[in-house]
Amino acid sequence: MSVQKKAPFSLSLDNGVAELVIDHPPVNALDSDGWHALAAAIDALGGNHDVRVVVIRADGRGFCAGVDIKELAAHPERIAKVNAGNYATFRAVHRSPVPVIVAVHGFVLGGGIGVAGAADIVVASECATFGVPEIDRGAMGGGAHLQRLFPVQVVRHMYFTGDFIDAQEAWRLGAIRQVVPREQLRDCAMAIARRIAEKSPNMVRLAKEALNGVEDGDLEKKYRWEQGFTLEAYLAADSGETRAAFVEKRRAQF
């Protein structure tokens, strides 16, 4: 008998505002099934005409630590499924017919960057930090979405070094709309969402489609390009060593 997995998030809808809360302890790192479930949920919200705006936030220590490295360490063959789940989730956020507001706190890493970078509006708590540690995990990916938040030179520094950027610096660079204390984060996101939900739903949906259409380049195509390098990285011996070192809590040896 198969055991039904609990979804790593909860959903609610009130007066046109859909709230999706990631809740998958200890660090909101999702496995391959979790990413696909998240994508399906976001797609369903966008297809629901009672939904006028979506707020994505998280409970726990941080917003999202990305993919479950332990799953890939045990099952490296699942990399294609993880890649597909990441792609589907980020596309669902970016291509949602309604605005998506992402409220982040604590760590925003890897796949968390993809969700935030695909969103229409990002607000953050004072404790939020942004990073792409992929190069230290034997993977690639996140650059396309990171570059939607930060200037190119900042992105490359973060990508190559693994250095983090805190919420105040992210706000200074224009990556996020507002920085608030942690206890005010949900209220901040919901206040913006309610303002949008009061508008004509038809006009807002048209505005979302129009704004996506005038963006430079194709975000999804750029991310697919990056994912090809993730697959190539996973076939290299160094990639396996980085994952093993992460799981075993030791320094990688190259």
Side-chain angles (χ1 to χ4, degrees), residues 157-181:
H157 184 269
M158 293 174 70
Y159 213 97
F160 295 148
T161 66
D163 286 356
F164 285 39
I165 284 183
D166 65 23
Q168 287 296 339
E169 179 67 356
W171 177 82
R172 187 186 73 81
L173 292 168
I176 53 181
R177 181 68 186 90
Q178 202 166 342
V179 180
V180 296

Side-chain angles (χ1 to χ4, degrees), residues 19-43:
E19 187 176 16
L20 187 156
V21 184
I22 302 171
D23 185 13
H24 190 63
V27 293
N28 290 331
L30 305 186
D31 63 13
S32 50
D33 287 337
W35 283 108
H36 282 279
L38 186 59
I42 297 167
D43 275 334

Side-chain angles (χ1 to χ4, degrees), residues 203-222:
M203 292 297 103
V204 171
R205 284 173 178 255
L206 285 174
K208 175 67 184 277
E209 184 176 359
L211 289 170
N212 274 5
V214 299
E215 283 190 45
D216 292 332
D218 186 315
L219 180 62
E220 283 68 43
K221 284 183 179 178
K222 288 189 282 189

Side-chain angles (χ1 to χ4, degrees), residues 198-253:
E198 290 174 353
K199 309 293 183 183
S200 158
N202 185 49
M203 292 297 103
V204 171
R205 284 173 178 255
L206 285 174
K208 175 67 184 277
E209 184 176 359
L211 289 170
N212 274 5
V214 299
E215 283 190 45
D216 292 332
D218 186 315
L219 180 62
E220 283 68 43
K221 284 183 179 178
K222 288 189 282 189
Y223 182 59
R224 287 297 283 170
W225 165 263
E226 284 187 88
Q227 284 193 317
F229 290 96
T230 290
L231 184 57
E232 184 176 335
Y234 264 77
L235 297 176
D238 282 358
S239 181
E241 167 61 9
T242 58
R243 289 192 300 280
F246 176 79
V247 172
E248 295 165 13
K249 294 180 169 54
R250 61 173 172 81
R251 190 178 184 88
Q253 300 294 321

